[in-house]
Amino acid sequence: MQQNFQKAKELIDRSYNILLTMHERMDGDDGGALLAITHHLKSTGKQAVCAIKKGVPPSLSFLPGSKHVREDIGEEEFDLLVAFGCSDKNRIGNEKITGLDIAAINIDHHPDNTNFGDVNLVDAGKSSVAELVYDFFKFCKWQINKDVATCLLTGIITDTGSFMHSNTKTSTLQAAADLMRQGALANKIIKHTYHSKSPNILKAWGKAMENSYYDAKHKVIFSIMTEDDLKETGKLPQAAFDGFAVTLNSVPEAKFAMFLRQEGNIVKGSLRSESYKNVDVSKIAKLFGGGGHKQAAGFSIPGRLTRDKNGKWKIE
Ligand SMILES: [Mn+2]
């Protein structure tokens, strides 16, 4: 990794117009890492443009620098692309960006990353892209100010479930402690990312809890939110169910948790498990065209959740 860090640093050092991007629907980890590097680039006088399909969700608008994130690029020219959390280039979801003929740095911690970059900073052993980018800052001896620290700690906190998941290693806690020393406030980040739900979202979670079902034969806990269920809850923000699959995954006997919900004409699936359960949920997600990590994965497929006359769920 040190060699790749060196190559990435050299590429950044000799570039001036840098485009930073990630997969659509910014999350705390890739988004935090992207903004942290943006802060550094701007502090050195470089042009840094952040373009993310569908922009910043309200839960992450507290991140310093988030108001500069755009949903698309214009006619400007770039000499370097930095992509965060994309296992392959198409996950960027913007043909204008994927079609650019410029050098690319690919930063990720998905085990199925295709190493599409000219330089790849990919380590599936890291808790988060943010922890990897923290190591990169340290390698480059770049200054970690309060804004950078807040962005990186947000990535670590959101990807470790506030240090509750098994990906929390001693290196993760050491990085988090150092980021707090630089001024990042863990309690404030946790408040923004986990403990701010509208009454409507709480009701929707209640409905999703009520719909949960434990299949004792296959040892799976699942829940389904149909269009009808969602009608009752009213219009919800996109991130309304973030974290629900983690809560569903509280049953010790269940090998994994699966949460399916209708979102327009798409069925979204979230899967969670734990290391001691020895299930690779990313393999299940892959069957449906999705992906992710061993213990946290997801997919989206076009279709509609329906129930047949025997009470069996289907996606039509
Ligand atoms: Mn991540």
Side-chain angles (χ1 to χ4, degrees), residues 266-300:
I266 286 174
V267 175
K268 295 235 174 189
S270 307
L271 296 143
R272 292 290 182 283
S273 190
E274 272 156 283
S275 54
Y276 73 92
K277 293 179 174 174
N278 255 332
V279 181
D280 183 350
V281 290
S282 72
K283 284 190 182 155
I284 303 169
K286 261 189 206 134
L287 294 174
F288 299 99
H293 305 274
K294 263 187 177 172
Q295 290 146 44
F299 60 85
S300 302

Side-chain angles (χ1 to χ4, degrees), residues 174-242:
Q174 263 157 358
D178 189 33
L179 294 168
M180 286 188 74
R181 215 173 287 129
Q182 310 309 325
L185 301 171
N187 64 329
K188 195 179 141 198
I189 294 168
I190 291 170
K191 184 95 203 139
H192 279 294
T193 50
Y194 287 95
H195 298 147
S196 56
K197 289 186 174 44
S198 67
N200 254 2
I201 293 178
L202 286 182
K203 282 219 176 87
W205 277 52
K207 186 72 197 164
M209 292 276 192
E210 197 185 309
N211 289 354
S212 67
Y213 174 75
Y214 178 57
D215 178 342
K217 193 173 149 212
H218 301 101
K219 293 190 163 34
V220 183
I221 176 95
F222 62 86
S223 177
I224 288 174
M225 284 292 273
T226 63
E227 209 150 49
D228 280 344
D229 293 326
L230 290 163
K231 255 182 213 147
E232 279 177 43
T233 63
K235 179 127 179 74
L236 296 169
Q238 260 201 334
F241 288 106
D242 282 6

Side-chain angles (χ1 to χ4, degrees), residues 15-18 38-48:
S15 304
Y16 290 93
N17 295 304
I18 301 171
T38 303
H39 286 298
H40 168 76
L41 296 174
K42 290 196 168 168
S43 75
T44 59
K46 292 182 195 280
Q47 290 292 330

Side-chain angles (χ1 to χ4, degrees), residues 29-30 109 128-129 159:
D29 181 30
D30 304 310
H109 70 139
S128 51
V129 168
D159 261 30

